[in-house]
Amino acid sequence: MDAQVLDRILDKYAYRHSDIIEIMQDVQRIENYLPMESLSYISERLELNLARIYDIATFYKAFSLKPRGKHVIKVCCGTACHLSGASQSLDQITRQLGIEEGETTEDRMFSLETVNCLGACALAPVVVIGAEYHDSADANKIDKLLSGYKVNGESTD
Amino acid sequence: MKKIRTHSDFERIKQEYLKKSSGRTIVLRTCLSTGCRSQKSVAVSEALWSSIEKKGLQDKIEIKQTGCHGFCEMGPIMVVEPQNIFYKKVTPDDTDEIIEMAANGGGVIDRLLWKDPVTKETVKCERELPLYKNQKKNVTYKSGRIDPKDIRDYIAAGGYEALIKVISTMTPDEVIDEIIASGLRGRGGGGFPTGVKWKICSESPGDIKYIIANGDEGDPGAFMDRSLMEGDPHSIIEGMIIGAYAIGAVQGFIYVRDEYPIAIDHLSGAITDAEEYGFLGNNILDSGFSLSLKIKRGAGAFVCGEETALIISIEGRSGMPRSRPPYPAVEGLWGKPTVINNVETFGNVPLIISRGREWYADTGTKNSKGTKVFSLVGKVRNTGLVEVEMGTTLREIVFDIGGGIRRDRSFKAVQTGGPSGGCIPMSRIDMPVDYDSLREAGAIMGSGGIIVMDETSCMVDVARYFVGFLMGESCGKCVPCREGLQQMYRILENISEGNGEEGDIDALLEVGQFMKTTSLCGLGGTASNPVLSTLRHFKSEYESHIFEKKCTAGVCKNLFDYYIDDKLCTGCSLCRIKCPEKAIEGKKKEPHVLDKAKCIKCSICFNSCKYGAILIT
Ligand SMILES: Cc1cc2nc3c(=O)[nH]c(=O)nc-3n(C[C@H](O)[C@H](O)[C@H](O)COP(=O)(O)O)c2cc1C
Ligand code: SF4
Ligand code: FES
């Protein structure tokens, strides 16, 4: 990530140490993950121990230190979604894409993740792909759902 | 100049706004919150605008983009006023017709009305829907009625009157007395008396004090706080300003989980607008009192909903709880006295101030006053957001408001309080829902998630689910929680995989009790509740998993099989086509057969059969 972009983010938060989580969130929003070089740069500019930044990056589940795919699939595993068959949906995605939770497909098209609750529990089970929410996404619907992205997302194998 | 200094400024702005909108007597309330938005309500809203423009009805019809109405499952939803017609599952293709009907002031579109799944009768008005008509909407009244992005709409609905009353006629101590007398208790889980918390903080020495709203909503399966933040952000902000005035805070934070982008957007806008109108910032309403508010985003750690961890997270570190006392009211953010309340708790405050302690204390039960917002989800017919008077029975919530169990299956339990809570069986369905009754039944009020389970929900799996969730979320600081959860999870996993043994139940009870008394924070202290409460009410289900190796609910994969009932099977072939393992065979119009050896129990056939012919043994 560009030093210029990083400086702009740091400026926005006036180099405050207490806003380090926000700073990292802004970086991840742009890059989809936290590149190690960016973290080192932030550590230097803020004069904040890299160990503390790394601690935060690994403590909070929203952060990823690995690059993620073009489409990040988030399967909600909150209580309402779990009871409505979220784990079967997750299994079906795993079978379809050949990756486990936390992994990215070789062509870098899809990453598969789980989240705890998206606050759309009345529509359970919920699967989010990119920024798009899909309701009632039980195992039944997964194939159709994914094929939409494979065709639109130029990744046909 | 928008900045309000006096009461007459306030009245003038309010009257101007009311006059401006009085010409348009037809109002379409459309929902743009998470639930409806994920079902494409933005496109519907845009289509409505263009239909209105096409017909040149801009002066007659107003579209109000609101927050959550509570019936998310039926989204995109819309209400046509003044007739109060409720439309569900609206698509952009419906909008021309809707506008035409609304403009003519008569007629309804039958296909868009909600239909009772049992009686098959349609219901025309929003206020007559079973989900709404048995509710008592106080805190959520404005959500779904006002435009959360327009501060004037909040003001026109009576907003910020409580703040003006406080600043012009009450001392900080009088505010605290009023909140204590109302009986308001915290809505974030613990149920601590709010006024007492404020008093402790106000009496703690120090010039600098802070106020924090907890919008982390960690309970997986609950969304009342999200709806309130999205649908009525100013009520939370107004409650916080009043709280800050009472305790003497000059700075405040709203901590919102990052999974709620719309809530963050609406709250940020609301803070900016409140500053512009002089309700926030320096010298609020010319009183000499100042307060600035900031939003802090969470980053996906459940434990950060715990107050001490949340404070540490705001300070910019990994949110691990610390032991209490000292409580935050004495030593909180950056070591200063800090009041931290749940967002719904703050949402109650303006109501108490405006309408008075007697009005407030008149609803609810002896020790639980007012109303509570719940998110009712799971296997009920009507899922959504419901606000009821404290003391309403579980039966009323599940059967009158929720319409009973889906697909005519039978009720098994409700789970309240999320990962810290417990399961309540049918035999207790007539108990009143208040802080004390729930605790006595082995569950807790928690933040307000109510999850309904039916015969296809396995109680061992539910316990395993929550323990697994907490195991992933435990911060690992203290041994009982870190190790206890691992041990409990291992035992529960064994039981659900068919490797349960004699003695497992005793071991669960022992570890669970130990964690309750020795964990550092509430996460570990309540983590065994889902296990202990299911053991208390559903012990036989554990026993059939351990001794008979059977999961009759059809959830634990190693402990059941699917089969096709040849009397019910019509030979439609849907399951045969859908089965990913080709485990089902049969000719069209003849009963099919399922090969157990090939079946991976993915549930696809079970959930797609329209005739209920796939059964569990
Ligand atoms: C593990 C854990 C998670 C919590 N999560 C939340 C939460 O998401 N939202 C919340 O308001 N309170 C949560 N609490 C309770 C807070 O610690 C605190 O009691 C509450 O915010 C105080 O507000 P109230 O008095 O208005 O309820 C949690 C507590 C624990 C132990
Ligand atoms: S009880 Fe659990 S979450 Fe709380 S401090 Fe101990 S290890 Fe951390
Ligand atoms: S449990 Fe999945 S959205 Fe809440």
Side-chain angles (χ1 to χ4, degrees), chain B residues 227-242:
Chain B
S227 301
L228 193 62
M229 291 186 280
E230 288 177 355
D232 193 7
H234 282 288
S235 70
I236 299 166
I237 292 171
E238 187 179 1
M240 287 183 81
I241 307 171
I242 294 170

Side-chain angles (χ1 to χ4, degrees), chain A residues 46-104:
Chain A
L46 285 184
E47 295 180 21
L48 187 67
N49 200 325
L50 186 59
R52 176 159 151 205
I53 296 180
Y54 193 75
D55 174 35
I56 292 170
T58 50
F59 180 86
Y60 293 98
K61 226 178 143 185
F63 292 126
S64 167
L65 290 165
K66 281 187 297 192
R68 302 195 285 176
K70 181 169 167 202
H71 306 290
V72 177
I73 304 176
K74 293 184 178 162
V75 181
C76 177
C77 290
T79 319
C81 292
H82 175 77
L83 283 175
S84 310
S87 51
Q88 280 90 344
S89 304
L90 185 64
D91 285 350
Q92 186 63 16
I93 299 176
T94 301
R95 273 194 296 275
Q96 274 286 315
L97 297 181
I99 50 170
E100 298 287 325
E101 181 191 341
E103 294 179 350
T104 300

Side-chain angles (χ1 to χ4, degrees), chain B residues 12 27 29-30 38 54 61 84 111 113 120 142 251 363 394 398 422 425 432 454 487 503 561 579 594:
Chain B
R12 183 178 39 84
V27 181
R29 291 190 274 122
T30 63
S38 66
K54 230 173 9 196
I61 301 181
N84 198 238
R111 70 170 187 281
L113 293 179
K120 309 285 176 216
K142 292 196 194 78
Q251 205 186 358
T363 34
L394 267 180
V398 175
D454 67 6
Q487 290 310 321
D561 283 307
C579 175
L594 187 153

Side-chain angles (χ1 to χ4, degrees), chain B residues 186-188 197 214 217-218 302 305-307 340-342 345 522-523:
Chain B
R187 299 298 194 242
K197 190 186 273 186
N214 189 342
E217 189 151 67
F302 172 72
E306 196 277 336
E307 53 190 23
I340 170 163
N341 278 125
N342 170 263
T345 313
L523 190 152

Side-chain angles (χ1 to χ4, degrees), chain A residues 19 25 55 60 77 79 119 140, chain B residues 220 226 296 298 317 465 578:
Chain A
D19 284 338
Q25 278 167 333
D55 174 35
Y60 293 98
C77 290
T79 319
N140 239 324
Chain B
R226 169 186 70 69
K296 280 277 184 177
R317 285 178 286 137
Y465 166 77
K578 286 206 158 193

Side-chain angles (χ1 to χ4, degrees), chain B residues 505-519:
Chain B
I505 291 179
D506 291 336
L508 285 173
L509 288 171
E510 194 185 337
V511 177
Q513 278 305 338
F514 180 72
M515 288 176 63
K516 248 184 189 321
T517 48
T518 52
S519 297

